Amino acid sequence: MICGYCQKVILRNLTVKEILFPWLLSDTELCSQCLRQFTPIQKDQACPRCMRSGEQDLCADCQRWQKQYPQRQFFHQALYQYDEAFANWLKEYKFGGDYRLRRTFQQQVRVALKGYRGFIICPIPLSQSRYQERGFNQTSAFLEASGVKTHTLLRRSSHDSPQSKKNRQERLALPQPYVLACSPELLIGKKILLVDDVYTTGRTLFHAADILWQHQPKEVRTFSLAR
């Protein structure tokens, strides 16, 4: 197998489970050296709503969202801290267009999303122009590489400059960019998981959730690789 980041061959002893069930053996995983670069978020040392590291109670971001959406329940899960190492990986994958890197976290994503059985998995969409520019939707790509079935529930109706080029206030002030891309009846009483690559201010995911909440889903939760 090869490392999903550095692309080097990984040599290791197989586990008993892998020997007995070889079809479960992935051809890609993170080598120990690359895995050490990323910092997992510790749930007991993070905001209970959005997993922002270094918080013991509800963070300032979540307090603001709670005031804006007082009738909504929201819970976010993220795997890694958005630090220099993750930013470097994202630069190569998302902005550098290294499509191979969609498989970097496939095992971690697969394990994490087992906790969302019964949820409709919806990746955050790109605008058509952004998709043509990049060649792929980075969120859809890492989900598909992890063997996760996804559904298109939303469409991005407006195109804007990348959020990476905006400051915090500019991100929070962005207008609603999404519209529904499926029959509203499909959402009634359903549990939905919105997935993005990174949770920064939460504006993108709350915009997306706001569209879905209008059509009576049972629950809307959110997930990202990094926070």
Side-chain angles (χ1 to χ4, degrees), residues 17-34:
K17 185 176 181 180
E18 289 170 338
I19 294 173
L20 294 176
F21 308 100
W23 55 87
L24 298 179
L25 182 62
S26 172
D27 59 355
T28 305
E29 64 179 53
L30 273 173
C31 69
S32 57
Q33 183 175 353
C34 287

Side-chain angles (χ1 to χ4, degrees), residues 54 97 107 111 121 134-135 146 150 185 190 196 211 216 221:
Q107 292 191 18
V111 170
I121 311 297
R134 191 169 295 159
S146 303
T150 64
E185 290 76 18
K190 299 298 176 59
D196 205 358
I211 298 297
Q216 305 174 50
R221 294 201 174 202

Side-chain angles (χ1 to χ4, degrees), residues 5 37-38 81-98 101 104-105 198 226:
Y5 190 7
Q37 294 183 45
F38 303 103
Q81 293 183 27
Y82 186 78
D83 53 16
E84 183 178 1
F86 193 91
N88 288 337
W89 173 83
L90 194 64
K91 181 179 179 181
E92 294 179 45
Y93 172 49
K94 181 176 179 178
F95 303 111
D98 192 340
L101 299 186
T104 301
F105 302 107
V198 178

Side-chain angles (χ1 to χ4, degrees), residues 3-146:
C3 174
Y5 190 7
C6 69
Q7 307 297 314
K8 294 180 181 178
V9 175
I10 299 173
L11 299 176
R12 65 168 175 80
N13 295 325
L14 298 180
T15 66
V16 173
K17 185 176 181 180
E18 289 170 338
I19 294 173
L20 294 176
F21 308 100
W23 55 87
L24 298 179
L25 182 62
S26 172
D27 59 355
T28 305
E29 64 179 53
L30 273 173
C31 69
S32 57
Q33 183 175 353
C34 287
L35 185 60
R36 284 195 296 269
Q37 294 183 45
F38 303 103
T39 306
I41 296 175
Q42 304 300 322
K43 288 186 177 181
D44 60 348
Q45 300 173 27
C47 171
R49 288 284 184 89
C50 73
M51 298 191 71
R52 181 177 183 175
S53 294
E55 303 283 347
Q56 295 298 319
D57 299 309
L58 213 62
C59 71
D61 282 352
C62 287
Q63 291 179 43
R64 184 186 65 252
W65 291 125
Q66 190 68 76
K67 289 180 180 178
Q68 186 166 342
Y69 298 99
Q71 305 302 319
R72 306 298 188 187
Q73 291 292 319
F74 56 91
F75 295 95
H76 183 77
Q77 180 184 1
L79 301 181
Y80 297 101
Q81 293 183 27
Y82 186 78
D83 53 16
E84 183 178 1
F86 193 91
N88 288 337
W89 173 83
L90 194 64
K91 181 179 179 181
E92 294 179 45
Y93 172 49
K94 181 176 179 178
F95 303 111
D98 192 340
Y99 191 61
R100 297 174 301 173
L101 299 186
R102 72 194 187 282
R103 307 179 70 182
T104 301
F105 302 107
Q106 65 176 25
Q107 292 191 18
Q108 291 81 359
V109 170
R110 189 180 297 128
V111 170
L113 294 194
K114 284 182 179 179
Y116 295 94
R117 286 189 173 90
F119 279 75
I120 297 173
I121 311 297
C122 174
I124 292 294
L126 297 179
S127 67
Q128 188 62 29
S129 57
R130 184 74 68 223
Y131 184 88
Q132 292 174 348
E133 172 188 308
R134 191 169 295 159
F136 62 96
N137 179 324
Q138 72 279 358
T139 302
S140 297
F142 77 68
L143 287 170
E144 291 165 5
S146 303

Side-chain angles (χ1 to χ4, degrees), residues 155-217:
R155 176 173 60 84
R156 189 169 183 117
S157 60
S158 61
H159 176 72
D160 202 355
S161 59
Q163 289 212 43
S164 59
K165 296 182 179 180
K166 300 181 187 299
N167 61 37
R168 180 180 180 81
Q169 293 306 314
E170 289 172 332
R171 294 183 185 193
L172 290 171
L174 286 172
Q176 172 63 265
Y178 303 113
V179 295
L180 198 65
C182 67
S183 172
E185 290 76 18
L186 295 177
L187 306 182
I188 298 174
K190 299 298 176 59
K191 296 190 292 184
I192 302 168
L193 182 70
L194 286 167
V195 183
D196 205 358
D197 50 1
V198 178
Y199 182 118
T200 306
T201 64
R203 178 69 279 177
T204 295
L205 288 166
F206 272 95
H207 266 324
D210 201 28
I211 298 297
L212 302 178
W213 277 327
Q214 297 173 33
H215 302 287
Q216 305 174 50

